[in-house]
Amino acid sequence: VQRSLNFPGIFHTQFQKDCYGEMCYHDNSLVSASLEALIQHLVPTVDYYPDRSYVFTFLLSSRLFLPPYELMTRVCHLCVEQQRSGDALLDKIRFREVAPKLVQLLTEWTETFPYDFRDERMMRCLKDMTHHVARGDEVSYSWRAMQQMTQRLIKRLSALGQYEEAVAALNAAAMERPASLKSKQASAQRNDVLSLCDDPFVLAQQLTHIELDRLSFIGPEEFIQTFAMKDPLENHKGFFRKRKTSNLEAYVSWFNRLSYLVATEICMPMKKKHRARIIEFFIDVAQECFNIGNFNSLMAIITGMNMSPVARLKKTWNKVNTDKFEILEHQMDPSSNFSNYRTALRGANQRSETAHSSQEKIVIPFFSLLIKDIYFLNEGCASRLPNGHINFEKLWELAKQVSEFLVWRQVVCPFDRDRRILQYLVTTPIFTEDELHLASYESEGPENNMEKDSRRSLRSSLLHRENRT
């Protein structure tokens, strides 16, 4: 999806609509239509091909109303049926003429929403259309284009499967909890992040690698699948055995892991001076993330440093110059619906659009807020109007937000990879919330009876768990 895609905005005032059949327009922009009319509008003919913005918007949000395999079946059926005249030879000629446009539509679908084709029904339909095109002319451009398109799709789905297996393996490695992490005294012997990397810019670069790697595998449809209608067959078909939002959820899990990793690194050292040094280091890493445009890692670091086991370490924080941290917190302040962050994000976007280097192109949004924005857009606007039409203004706005994400997603990270640091960030064991609290109390003892009771309870609970395992 290129920046050139134009999406009309939502109109908030009363206006005169021009209706043609079952489609209504305002200033030449589609605002509502029946589902049948929208499906028909997607079907190419010899003289017509739908606008690219429309193709992206409808393929993205149609899953709110019907499953992708049903849409594809109906579009392909309509495209073939429209060429029927009763004369077999004429039908073959007419289909040969429309075939390039059908291939173009299927190419856009497979390249922008490849994960739809993890559904075996989608792949069957694609195979059927390849045979149909071949019957028209086996040496035609369209038939070769279908073959190449299918090969690219299979390659992409194979890469996705390998990515999911790699993430699962990394998560399994991270879940292995060696004895060295079970007590603070023992874990103090473990290497910390400073022993591996003491340059904040290098660590911020490696965090950006992880962010962009994981962003690149999130399908645009996953944002819509979070609130799309359920397929009644989802427990029985190959595609639906995998969660439709698994890559999006894995990315949110990465944010949580990074927050807990930051808190673990701070709470682990026995010496106050070393804890203060690690806090200052992560403040500098957060600053570098902000400079790069990596707002997701920035917010994860701030979240980790604001977790109660870290925040309560007053003697440690007294040794830290917090001026820079307070500025970063101000940038990510949630008040006024994150207005400061949204201003910074717009600035990063503008820099990206006029970038002279790969580094300037990087924009990694605070992801949980992006999901929240899309969720509330969906919840705040009706999908169907009182007359039964689909509210296409809402679909335009959803597409606008998701297409912006696709531009951010396609940036290739320009920094050198450091595999040792990357491995550490994604696999080194981290404390659970209870372990963090206990480590915090062991760093700086309880200040009141409530904290003393909490420490006693945590020790008993963790000891019980260790004995059970």
Side-chain angles (χ1 to χ4, degrees):
V1 175
Q2 304 298 319
R3 295 184 190 277
S4 58
L5 283 185
N6 295 314
F7 300 100
I10 285 185
F11 308 103
H12 299 284
T13 56
Q14 294 295 318
F15 53 81
Q16 181 64 42
K17 290 189 289 190
D18 300 314
C19 295
Y20 304 95
E22 293 188 307
M23 303 188 76
C24 297
Y25 292 81
H26 173 68
D27 288 343
N28 294 320
S29 294
L30 179 62
V31 294
S32 72
S34 67
L35 180 59
E36 294 300 322
L38 292 173
I39 294 171
Q40 183 65 61
H41 197 56
L42 189 64
V43 179
T45 67
V46 173
D47 303 315
Y48 164 78
Y49 188 81
D51 177 79
R52 286 184 64 238
S53 297
Y54 176 80
V55 172
F56 175 75
T57 300
F58 191 53
L59 290 181
L60 175 70
S61 292
S62 59
R63 63 200 73 231
L64 290 171
F65 313 102
L66 77 170
Y69 79 89
E70 188 177 327
L71 175 62
M72 186 175 178
T73 301
R74 290 171 71 173
V75 167
C76 292
H77 175 75
L78 284 169
C79 190
V80 171
E81 287 303 308
Q82 285 175 176
Q83 313 314 316
R84 295 200 188 279
S85 63
D87 182 316
L89 181 59
L90 181 58
D91 290 353
K92 186 174 181 179
I93 293 170
R94 289 175 63 170
F95 184 77
R96 190 184 301 164
E97 289 174 348
V98 80
K101 290 183 178 177
L102 177 61
V103 172
Q104 184 182 344
L105 177 65
L106 294 175
T107 299
E108 288 192 45
W109 196 329
T110 56
E111 291 183 352
T112 311
F113 302 97
Y115 303 168
D116 283 350
F117 293 84
R118 297 183 97 174
D119 182 345
E120 61 196 43
R121 295 165 294 186
M122 294 285 284
M123 290 302 286
R124 256 200 318 269
C125 189
L126 193 64
K127 189 176 180 181
D128 289 345
M129 289 315 299
T130 302
H131 289 154
H132 206 90
V133 169
R135 282 200 298 272
D137 186 353
E138 284 197 16
V139 296
S140 71
Y141 160 81
S142 298
W143 182 78
R144 289 195 303 273
M146 285 286 283
Q147 294 286 331
Q148 292 164 1
M149 173 189 69
T150 304
Q151 289 168 6
R152 288 193 302 269
L153 174 61
I154 291 170
K155 186 176 178 181
R156 175 64 178 171
L157 293 180
S158 174
L160 172 63
Q162 291 169 7
Y163 162 75
E164 289 177 339
E165 288 174 9
V167 168
L170 290 171
N171 289 344
M175 289 300 290
E176 291 176 7
R177 306 189 56 72
S180 63
L181 204 66
K182 289 182 179 175
S183 71
K184 184 178 172 69
Q185 289 81 2
S187 50
Q189 309 300 317
R190 190 197 82 161
N191 287 338
D192 63 18
V193 68
L194 281 176
S195 67
L196 197 68
C197 175
D198 60 2
D199 185 336
F201 185 45
V202 171
L203 193 72
Q205 290 177 333
Q206 302 313 304
L207 289 172
T208 302
H209 264 296
I210 295 170
E211 299 280 355
L212 287 173
D213 282 350
R214 299 201 172 198
L215 269 184
S216 70
F217 281 97
I218 297 173
E221 73 285 349
E222 292 191 48
F223 293 98
I224 309 301
Q225 300 281 27
T226 56
F227 40 77
M229 59 184 285
K230 280 198 168 188
D231 187 304
L233 300 177
E234 67 178 20
N235 294 323
H236 305 289
K237 293 293 178 178
F239 168 69
F240 295 108
R241 281 197 293 269
K242 291 185 180 291
R243 297 180 68 153
K244 297 181 190 177
T245 58
S246 58
N247 300 303
L248 186 149
E249 290 171 22
Y251 190 57
V252 172
S253 295
W254 154 248
F255 177 96
N256 295 334
R257 173 181 166 77
L258 179 54
S259 297
Y260 272 83
L261 175 61
V262 169
T264 299
E265 294 286 336
I266 294 169
C267 289
M268 206 174 1
M270 295 295 295
K271 294 182 179 178
K272 178 170 51 181
K273 183 179 179 182
H274 192 46
R275 290 196 300 273
R277 187 170 165 231
I278 288 181
I279 289 175
E280 289 174 340
F281 175 71
F282 274 116
I283 291 172
D284 289 339
V285 174
Q287 178 66 61
E288 295 295 350
C289 286
F290 179 83
N291 295 341
I292 289 171
N294 180 356
F295 296 105
N296 203 54
S297 289
L298 164 63
M299 192 61 177
I301 292 169
I302 291 174
T303 300
M305 295 174 83
N306 279 325
M307 290 174 74
S308 58
V310 177
R312 67 169 296 278
L313 300 173
K314 292 174 185 169
K315 293 174 185 175
T316 305
W317 280 98
N318 285 338
K319 289 189 165 291
V320 176
N321 183 340
T322 58
D323 291 349
K324 199 185 295 183
F325 185 58
E326 287 165 6
I327 292 170
L328 290 170
E329 281 191 304
H330 179 70
Q331 289 287 352
M332 303 304 286
D333 187 344
S335 62
S336 302
N337 194 19
F338 287 89
S339 60
N340 293 340
Y341 158 70
R342 293 183 191 279
T343 300
L345 182 64
R346 281 195 297 273
N349 257 332
Q350 289 167 3
R351 180 184 69 182
S352 179
E353 288 170 2
T354 58
H356 294 95
S357 69
S358 299
Q359 184 174 329
E360 291 177 337
K361 290 181 181 177
I362 296 171
V363 182
I364 302 172
F366 171 30
F367 198 67
S368 293
L369 186 60
L370 175 63
I371 295 171
K372 182 181 171 186
D373 286 344
I374 293 173
Y375 174 79
F376 280 112
L377 172 60
N378 180 65
E379 291 296 303
C381 298
S383 295
R384 286 190 185 269
L385 302 178
N387 65 356
H389 274 199
I390 286 170
N391 179 4
F392 213 82
E393 292 176 275
K394 170 182 171 175
L395 272 52
W396 285 129
E397 194 63 22
L398 285 170
K400 184 179 177 182
Q401 292 206 18
V402 175
S403 68
E404 196 169 38
F405 158 78
L406 291 186
V407 174
W408 300 330
R409 188 188 72 166
Q410 67 189 13
V411 173
V412 177
C413 192
F415 307 122
D416 291 336
R417 286 180 181 269
D418 187 313
R419 299 205 174 275
R420 285 174 62 246
I421 298 174
L422 290 170
Q423 185 78 4
Y424 184 89
L425 290 170
V426 297
T427 63
T428 195
I430 54 177
F431 283 139
T432 64
E433 189 168 1
D434 284 352
E435 289 167 339
L436 276 175
H437 278 286
L438 190 55
S440 178
Y441 290 137
E442 291 178 2
S443 294
E444 295 184 20
E447 293 187 347
N448 52 50
N449 288 334
M450 189 171 72
E451 288 194 343
K452 286 178 183 176
D453 290 343
S454 175
R455 180 174 67 175
R456 193 178 305 115
S457 173
L458 285 167
R459 279 177 172 170
S460 172
S461 171
L462 290 172
L463 186 63
H464 179 63
R465 256 181 256 164
E466 281 183 30
N467 290 338
R468 269 177 30 196
T469 57

